[in-house]
Amino acid sequence: MANVAFDYTNLVEVEGGIGDGELRELRPRLEETMSTFLEDPPGFMRLPETDELSEPSKALAEEVRASGATDFVHVGIGGSALSPAALHRALNHPFYNLLADRGGPRLHFAENTDPATLSAILDVADLAGTWANVVTKSGSTAETMANFLVIRGALVETLGEYAYGERVVFTTDPEEGYLVQIAGREGIRTLQIPPDVGGRFSVLTPVGLFPAAVTGLDVDALLRGAAQCAGEVKERGADHPAVQGAAYHYLVDTARGRNVRVMMTYADALDRFAAWFVQLWAESLGKEGKGSTPHGAVGTIDQHSQVQLYMEGPQDKVIEIVEVEEHPRDLPIPEAYKDLEGVGYLGGHTMAELLNVECNATRKALTEAGRPNSTIRIDAIDEEHLGYLFHALEVQTAIAGSLYGVNTFDQPGVEAGKQITYSRMGRSGY
Ligand code: PA5
């Protein structure tokens, strides 16, 4: 069982924090929003309870692993890349690609159209053993298609026009988009992203599951954690702490003017998870002049970079600490230099202990200075806890969208730039 706790005490108890009255006043809207949400749940809500998407992902991943693949290039951007990148960063060894006994291919992410990155991937990848997974729900995103065309060219050159297709997988909408057409022409295998699940809510579709399974992660445990969260959300409705978080964050923005939401993870492994959340919150809520600005930070590193600003800069922020009870690994700090008081005191403690003591210290310092903060506490960084957390924050974002009165699931603001790019790159009709 995943043990995930959401603690909002320091959003209420700091001076100038959210008042009980404000929460009470919002409560009927929260309950109404929640019952509408549960009566007609968005597509992502059913994902934890089905194996329709995980089974094909696992089977194909097994094939990739059994083929002796050396490299696996995940091609995608935005919601089509951030969740698998978060999973990889959190759960695989930080130097996974360098490990001789990693048990799966090296994993590369081709997201941007920066030629330096793609060239670097091609420098490293052994094309004779390379698979490419092209992930685009719309099947037409320029960045993804450009990366695909370059990788396709390289694979065709190495493997030949026909054999290259055996090393390519398309993860896309079952019916819409150009990838479906190309798959039909070239016999390329596809994994499906359900039409009613948008990119940033797609971690539990093959977008997140397939690359995770390719690197040997336990996708069943990921789904189990998400299903636990989904069950608890259904049971507790507006009392579920992730749902209540939507109300707290909505109020801290709209009633307190704190419109920067900082997610500060006290674990390096969760830095890409924060990047995933930043996109989820930003693209879902930033509409019609509404929404708060999400920002990712890492403790302790950003104590030496940003905490000064949080403590004494403009009071427009709310800090959300993500704390890990049991770190996956720990190291004792050896005793040495006992005569030097600024060094010797560290010996006999452990690195994880120091990390968590600093986490507590930051929380206490913020609270004592009257800076609103909340904490998400997870027992461990593993598939089950991450599954729970992904799902909980998706629910929270969807409920927050309703409180703000925006459409959580569209992103009209990114269209204009796309149209101009199409026109300048000579796409007909633009
Ligand atoms: O969350 C979203 O919907 C977006 O960030 C998309 O994932 C992103 O624009 C990429 O779209 P596509 O998967 O269609 O290539």
Side-chain angles (χ1 to χ4, degrees):
M1 283 268 285
N3 192 8
V4 179
F6 296 79
D7 185 345
Y8 304 110
T9 315
N10 299 334
L11 291 182
V12 178
E13 290 187 357
V14 292
E15 203 186 319
I18 299 166
D20 281 345
E22 287 164 305
L23 286 164
R24 260 198 310 279
E25 207 178 300
L26 189 63
R27 177 77 191 188
R29 267 184 71 205
L30 186 66
E31 282 177 6
E32 198 187 310
T33 298
M34 204 48 205
S35 62
T36 312
F37 177 84
L38 291 175
E39 268 160 33
D40 185 16
F44 78 85
M45 278 296 282
R46 68 166 193 287
L47 299 176
E49 278 138 20
T50 171
D51 58 10
E52 258 171 49
L53 299 166
S54 59
E55 287 307 324
S57 298
K58 286 194 300 188
L60 198 44
E62 227 10 83
E63 196 182 318
V64 174
R65 289 166 69 85
S67 75
T70 55
D71 296 272
F72 181 89
V73 187
H74 182 102
V75 184
I77 196 164
S80 287
L82 286 159
S83 67
L87 283 167
H88 178 54
R89 175 75 174 102
L91 300 173
N92 284 324
H93 190 284
F95 303 120
Y96 171 89
N97 279 2
L98 300 178
L99 292 179
D101 60 350
R102 62 186 174 271
R106 289 182 289 239
L107 178 57
H108 313 279
F109 287 92
E111 302 174 70
N112 203 353
T113 54
D114 186 335
T117 305
L118 188 52
S119 302
I121 293 171
L122 294 172
D123 286 344
V124 169
D126 176 355
L127 290 172
T130 294
W131 286 66
N133 175 34
V134 186
V135 187
T136 162
K137 168 115 192 282
S138 62
S140 63
T141 299
E143 295 88 337
T144 302
M145 295 317 251
N147 274 309
F148 163 54
L149 290 173
V150 174
I151 291 167
R152 179 186 190 281
L155 286 177
V156 166
E157 209 170 285
T158 306
L159 304 169
E161 188 80 41
Y162 296 104
Y164 110 91
E166 289 164 16
R167 294 287 184 72
V168 176
V169 177
F170 288 163
T171 302
T172 191
D173 185 276
E175 279 164 26
E176 301 285 322
Y178 294 102
L179 284 192
V180 178
Q181 294 181 38
I182 299 171
R185 273 190 216 170
E186 301 188 337
I188 289 171
R189 278 170 298 178
T190 58
L191 290 168
Q192 301 190 350
I193 309 173
D196 61 349
V197 178
R200 54 193 178 273
F201 290 86
S202 67
V203 56
L204 301 179
T205 73
V207 173
L209 301 179
F210 177 47
V214 165
T215 59
L217 299 182
D218 184 349
V219 300
D220 291 330
L222 191 70
L223 288 164
R224 207 164 47 243
Q228 181 192 333
C229 178
E232 289 173 12
V233 164
K234 280 181 207 153
E235 199 181 301
R236 299 189 60 188
D239 288 328
H240 190 281
V243 175
Q244 290 183 333
Y248 281 107
H249 284 284
Y250 170 73
L251 280 175
V252 87
D253 170 20
T254 57
R256 290 290 173 280
R258 291 184 176 270
N259 57 14
V260 180
R261 175 177 178 173
V262 179
M263 176 178 276
M264 189 166 188
T265 64
Y266 271 81
D268 291 345
L270 296 176
D271 60 358
R272 297 296 290 166
F273 181 84
W276 166 83
F277 176 71
V278 162
Q279 189 231 0
L280 178 72
W281 191 259
E283 201 164 76
S284 299
L285 306 181
K287 287 154 202 175
E288 301 170 31
K290 300 174 188 170
S292 60
T293 302
H295 175 74
V298 175
T300 63
I301 295 170
D302 288 317
Q303 286 174 210
H304 302 268
S305 156
Q306 298 176 31
V307 166
Q308 171 64 36
L309 177 77
Y310 306 162
M311 290 288 277
E312 295 183 6
Q315 286 311 300
D316 55 359
K317 296 172 199 63
V318 54
I319 318 302
E320 177 169 58
I321 288 170
V322 182
E323 184 176 9
V324 180
E325 289 281 340
E326 284 292 328
H327 288 272
R329 302 178 84 172
D330 199 358
L331 287 171
I333 304 175
E335 309 258 7
Y337 308 112
K338 277 289 175 204
D339 57 323
L340 302 179
E341 60 161 7
V343 183
Y345 71 97
L346 291 166
H349 294 286
T350 77
M351 295 294 280
E353 182 190 355
L354 178 60
L355 185 57
N356 282 5
V357 163
E358 296 214 36
C359 175
N360 268 311
T362 300
R363 180 170 37 238
K364 192 166 159 45
L366 287 168
T367 307
E368 285 178 0
R371 309 307 183 221
N373 62 88
S374 61
T375 296
I376 300 176
R377 196 171 287 109
I378 59 176
D379 266 10
I381 302 177
D382 59 19
E383 285 87 339
E384 215 165 339
H385 283 82
L386 284 184
Y388 190 109
L389 207 48
F390 273 116
H391 198 71
L393 290 171
E394 287 178 356
V395 169
Q396 183 177 103
T397 303
I399 300 301
S402 301
L403 295 177
Y404 277 108
V406 298
N407 180 351
T408 308
F409 302 104
D410 68 1
Q411 52 282 328
V414 297
E415 274 311 308
K418 281 190 196 172
Q419 310 285 325
I420 297 167
T421 300
Y422 291 152
S423 146
R424 296 206 173 156
M425 291 297 281
R427 181 172 169 181
S428 76
Y430 289 84

